[in-house]
Amino acid sequence: MLISPTARWDFENSRRSGGITPVGELQVKYPVCARVLGPLTLALNNHNATPTAQKQRQLLALLLVRHDTVVPVTTLVEELWNDDPPRSAVTVVQTYVLGIRKKMAEQLGIGQAEVAERFLRTRSKGYSFDVKDCVFDLRDYQSMSEAARCAAKAGDDYRAVDLFTAAEALWSGPALVDVEGGIPLAAEISHLDHLRLTNIELRVEAELRLGRYREACPDLARLTMQHPLHERLQAYYMFALSRAGQRARALESYQRFSRSMQRELGLDPCQKLQKLHQDILAASDVSVSAMLNSRHAGYLIGWYSPEFRSARAEPA
């Protein structure tokens, strides 16, 4: 069984402090492994127990992405049948839940009642999946991303980059890539995709504040290809290329982006991106770095020169 980064950190911290906890004990403590950041996976005691029936997969996926909260039966019915449920919809939902519990009980060597008590719980007018005793990628992603945001706000960009990078490594593909979801699940997947992209942007900003311009360029080249109409990613890419001594490539990338905007949307890039392009074009290879720091680094990556910060701190 794969151990979550959180569990690995617990193991490393205990080892450094002298209280060694063998990895095998972590596997016993967390016998259930669930994943939604990629293909849907439910592993029990190192055995794959992911449902194969489509509607059962939808139900499990929705319960997992809304982990530790009650999902009403009405929402599960909407997920499975949209606005055309059968008369027996509530009974069928109960059957699907019982089927998941039965498989979990068999693999874990415990009774179905204990599964209902610890994991897949019946609540008032709904169900919830409790991940407290599970290795769960989404929970780890959320906790690491929040820690990364806190580190960035505190000015610790090194730690922020490390945490954002570790969080991103939990993804093995698009969220629930192998589950054909209904409207509720599609909304949750859209939220996860947006959250992932936002955290990637925050990580890139932290990297650029650290001056890792050359290192950021390959990643930004891929990201701008994956999101060809994303203006902020394009701005990061032009900024990084220019600071890495590749001003000509930055200008070329803008021209490609501008053509894509015109072709796909019939629009010009936003004013800030146009201004960034104009300033890079007007600068020289010698002056471009100072120009970017003074005119664009503040709003784009949250970096301000020491002179600017001291001027802001002076009383009027």
Side-chain angles (χ1 to χ4, degrees), residues 36-37 65 138 171 175 188-196:
V36 296
L37 304 181
V65 294
L138 178 56
W171 290 74
E188 296 294 338
I189 291 172
S190 178
H191 167 75
L192 289 176
D193 290 341
H194 184 77
L195 178 64
R196 182 186 189 185

Side-chain angles (χ1 to χ4, degrees), residues 143-249:
S143 62
M144 280 193 281
S145 297
E146 181 58 30
R149 288 171 181 247
C150 291
K153 287 181 180 178
D156 190 349
D157 285 328
Y158 289 102
R159 178 166 173 77
V161 169
D162 287 345
L163 287 168
F164 276 130
T165 302
E168 177 64 19
L170 292 170
W171 290 74
S172 58
L176 295 167
V177 63
D178 58 347
V179 179
E180 185 178 341
I183 294 174
L185 188 57
E188 296 294 338
I189 291 172
S190 178
H191 167 75
L192 289 176
D193 290 341
H194 184 77
L195 178 64
R196 182 186 189 185
L197 186 55
T198 299
N199 286 330
I200 287 173
E201 291 176 19
L202 293 173
R203 188 256 299 162
V204 169
E205 290 179 12
E207 287 183 319
L208 296 179
R209 286 195 298 270
L210 291 172
R212 298 175 180 177
Y213 312 116
R214 192 179 301 275
E215 297 90 333
C217 285
D219 193 25
L220 285 168
R222 174 180 57 82
L223 288 168
T224 52
M225 289 292 290
Q226 291 175 340
H227 306 277
L229 302 177
H230 196 296
E231 291 176 309
R232 194 165 188 88
L233 288 176
Q234 177 63 30
Y236 294 150
Y237 190 32
M238 293 167 63
F239 185 95
L241 284 170
S242 297
R243 290 302 312 269
Q246 302 181 63
R247 190 165 63 98
R249 287 188 62 189

